[in-house]
Amino acid sequence: MAENVANPSRPTQAMVFVLIALLPAAGLGVYFFGLQALLIILVTVTSCVAFEAIYQKFAKKPITITDLSAVTTGLLMAMVMPPAIPLWMPVVGAFVAIIIVKQLFGGLGKNFLNPALAGWGFLAVSYSSAMLESYTYPLAGWLNSGELASATPLYRLNTMGVPPVIEDYIVALFGNVPGAIGTTATIALVLGGLFLLVTKTISWHIPVSFIATVFGLTFIMGEYASYQLIIGGLMLGAIFMATDPATSPKAWYGKLIFGVGCGVLVALIRLFGGYAEGMAFAILLMNLAVPLIDRIKGFKRRRAI
Amino acid sequence: MKKTDFSLVRKGILDDNPVYSHALALCPVLAVTVTAINGLGMGLATLAVMLASCLLVSLLRKVIPSQVRIPILILICASFATVVRFALQAYFPALDDALGIFIALIAVNCIIMARMESFAMKNSPLNTTFDAIGMGLGFTLALFLIGFVRELLGSGTILGGLITLPEAFPRTAVMTLPPGGFFVLGFLIFGFVKFRNRFLSGDSKKPPVKPKGGCASKACTMDCGEGGAPCNS
């Protein structure tokens, strides 16, 4: 987020707006997945804030946990967690996100990867079976019985090849499907995204080019393009994660290139890759390309030398 | 330089540790340290090659023409690397399988090249021996520690199944992959520098100062060869 020069320990307006925009989807996640989801969100946010404070204390830097950036990272990471993972895993993810990815590279605004996604990626590669098999059925009761869901909609469609029916579209739109805590409620995420667009917290370039590319490619491949948009983490990633100003290009054409790149990678991973969901790895890979994209000088004619 | 300088051993392990101080030979460091035993084996094999080739180079240093010294050094190093490789294949075939191509690549190990060219070419066989032992032990220690941590976190075993931690201990698969090597190396360098600055007296306590004139000047205490590593110890 843009640096607040006057007082670095006060949250910027953008940070507050992102948190507000995330709340409906997170709330629906808690509604669908019960106490477990709430616990994961609390543990993730708390450990992110704690790691930030611990690091800044030991590095003898001003402690800036009140700028809410660690809270935002924690909430974003909790929202891509499956609802039934053991509670120590988000703590490990928070360590990777805050200490390794964010603070060791210079803190807020200087991270080269999205911290929340990097934490998720570390967990997904390290504990792949636990991360894959911890999805539960929604609305299984407040004290979730812990019955594990056989497959998320993404897995059913892209790995098992089961085509969706009309009812699938509707439940996926409202989030009543197995999935990561904050990614299932597509409508809430889109509303949050519209709020961010109206308040000019994010620009339209990345989400629109990202989502349009996924739609276009899956449409060409005949893989239920509109269903692909509402399942998995695509909306959360395109609206809230790919638009992080520290890890996305600055110019508008850079943003379009970034979004299209993310979209191509998501479509490729979903349709041909070993993972059912490609959102996180697509954004992480494009994060790495941002310094290169930022070097593109635009479409102005270059002066002849 | 003194006639016999034992402190060269200490220097190679602590002050000028090739991995933790200078980040040299990162390719074998990251590739073979999935387990502590592999790291130890790689380190000891490198130590053997380093000791033998540095000693031979030091004995021959007056007859090696400086125009063709690089091919001669590589020839010497490659010969000993081949000997060590055959010995490993004969007596430790499992270790040889695990280390794979990196045993053959000891022939072009940059630490050995640096010690041969910048130290053995200019110093007596005795001092060269101390230097090679120090550098080799420092390299072995570095590899062993990285391998130990990666094996503990990634596979949940200590020293190749000597102790296997219970199933409840999480196996972090990233630690067995190359990124895990970088994570562990980074944190170990951090710990090593902290340890060195806090507990070791002497010149290592002072902040690093690059002498005027860089590596060419007499004030530079590090042996950094022509166009070699920057003078930052």
Side-chain angles (χ1 to χ4, degrees):
Chain A
M1 302 297 150
E3 280 173 88
N4 188 331
V5 185
N7 185 351
S9 58
R10 274 192 61 208
T12 57
Q13 189 195 39
M15 202 71 82
V16 177
F17 281 171
V18 168
L19 275 176
I20 293 173
L22 280 171
L23 280 181
L28 276 176
V30 173
Y31 169 71
F32 284 127
F33 300 109
L35 190 64
Q36 272 179 330
L38 185 65
L39 271 180
I40 287 175
I41 291 177
L42 288 179
V43 166
T44 318
V45 172
T46 315
S47 46
C48 275
V49 174
F51 280 128
E52 179 133 310
I54 291 170
Y55 179 88
Q56 288 177 332
K57 184 156 176 55
F58 276 93
K60 300 188 177 69
K61 289 180 174 180
I63 293 178
T64 58
I65 51 172
T66 47
D67 70 359
L68 295 184
S69 67
V71 177
T72 312
T73 299
L75 185 57
L76 276 174
M77 192 163 66
M79 289 175 77
V80 287
M81 294 286 171
I85 53 166
L87 281 177
W88 57 266
M89 278 191 195
V91 181
V92 176
F95 177 83
V96 173
I98 294 294
I99 303 277
I100 293 183
V101 175
K102 186 178 168 194
Q103 291 297 346
L104 286 184
F105 285 88
L108 183 61
K110 303 206 174 67
N111 46 305
F112 69 109
L113 288 178
N114 185 306
L117 284 180
W120 181 90
F122 186 93
L123 297 181
V125 174
S126 291
Y127 316 110
S128 50
S129 57
M131 290 288 280
L132 207 63
E133 291 158 5
S134 295
Y135 293 103
T136 53
Y137 288 108
L139 295 175
W142 174 243
L143 290 164
N144 205 314
S145 60
E147 190 194 356
L148 297 182
S150 54
T152 61
L154 258 179
Y155 190 80
R156 274 167 63 90
L157 175 63
N158 290 334
T159 309
M160 294 158 68
V162 183
V165 295
I166 294 295
E167 289 81 26
D168 287 339
Y169 283 84
I170 295 161
V171 287
L173 207 54
F174 288 96
N176 192 5
V177 288
I181 294 170
T183 60
T184 58
T186 311
I187 284 212
L189 290 168
V190 172
L191 284 179
L194 288 177
F195 171 72
L196 291 183
L197 274 179
V198 170
T199 56
K200 300 221 162 82
T201 311
I202 60 174
S203 71
W204 59 270
H205 301 87
I206 291 175
V208 169
S209 58
F210 191 161
I211 295 168
T213 309
V214 175
F215 183 85
L217 282 179
T218 47
F219 186 78
I220 294 169
M221 298 294 296
E223 291 282 346
Y224 308 96
S226 48
Y227 190 56
Q228 294 275 9
L229 297 189
I230 58 176
I231 57 174
L234 177 67
M235 283 298 167
L236 182 72
I239 295 169
F240 292 95
M241 289 166 161
T243 52
D244 179 354
T247 54
S248 59
K250 291 174 183 60
W252 63 270
Y253 45 85
K255 289 185 161 98
L256 288 182
I257 296 171
F258 180 84
V260 170
C262 287
V264 170
L265 286 171
V266 166
L268 287 178
I269 296 175
R270 279 193 179 182
L271 300 182
F272 304 107
Y275 283 86
E277 173 58 296
M279 179 273 288
F281 290 122
I283 296 178
L284 286 175
L285 280 170
M286 289 310 289
N287 281 167
L288 296 177
V290 165
L292 281 177
I293 297 174
D294 269 339
R295 292 182 61 153
I296 301 172
K297 288 278 185 278
F299 304 121
K300 287 178 203 156
R301 197 176 297 162
R302 293 214 180 138
R303 251 185 303 164
I305 301 166
Chain B
M1 185 158 290
K2 280 182 279 180
K3 207 165 186 186
T4 56
D5 193 355
F6 284 105
S7 71
L8 284 168
V9 176
R10 193 199 100 134
K11 206 176 162 198
I13 298 174
L14 294 172
D15 305 330
D16 273 344
N17 186 297
V19 178
Y20 293 150
S21 285
H22 300 300
L24 289 175
L26 287 189
C27 188
V29 166
L30 296 169
V32 305
T33 54
V34 177
T35 69
I37 298 291
N38 284 2
L40 192 65
M42 182 71 200
L44 291 177
T46 311
L47 170 65
V49 175
M50 175 137 48
L51 187 57
S53 17
C54 282
L55 193 59
L56 188 60
V57 168
S58 180
L59 288 168
L60 295 175
R61 70 187 187 280
K62 303 231 165 86
V63 294
I64 295 177
S66 76
Q67 293 92 335
V68 290
R69 67 189 188 284
I70 298 290
I72 292 177
L73 298 186
I74 291 183
L75 192 66
I76 290 172
C77 187
S79 318
F80 285 115
T82 311
V83 172
V84 166
R85 190 177 165 204
F86 286 162
L88 274 183
Q89 278 170 347
Y91 297 108
F92 305 99
L95 186 63
D96 183 68
D97 275 350
L99 299 181
I101 187 72
F102 290 98
I103 287 294
L105 285 177
I106 292 179
V108 287
N109 185 300
C110 63
I111 303 172
I112 302 183
M113 287 305 294
R115 297 332 289 171
M116 286 194 299
E117 208 204 333
S118 66
F119 198 93
M121 286 290 283
K122 297 166 190 159
N123 289 286
S124 69
L126 199 59
N127 277 345
T128 300
T129 308
F130 293 141
D131 178 71
I133 290 175
M135 285 288 163
L137 284 180
F139 185 66
T140 310
L141 182 81
L143 260 68
F144 178 76
L145 278 182
I146 299 173
F148 187 86
V149 177
R150 284 179 74 182
E151 186 183 346
L152 184 68
L153 296 177
S155 325
T157 58
I158 294 174
L159 296 180
L162 194 67
I163 301 170
T164 304
L165 297 174
E167 281 297 311
F169 183 81
R171 267 68 167 169
T172 309
V174 162
M175 289 302 163
T176 61
L177 304 171
F182 278 109
F183 290 146
V184 174
L185 178 65
F187 280 102
L188 282 177
I189 288 178
F190 168 73
F192 178 81
V193 172
K194 277 273 167 200
F195 168 81
R196 199 177 55 184
N197 291 350
R198 175 164 297 186
F199 294 108
L200 298 183
S201 54
D203 51 3
S204 56
K205 242 188 174 175
K206 293 179 203 152
V209 179
K210 188 169 179 170
K212 269 183 192 171
C215 297
S217 82
K218 291 249 170 84
C220 178
T221 50
M222 187 194 152
D223 311 295
C224 37
E226 290 168 13
C231 186
N232 56 359
S233 77

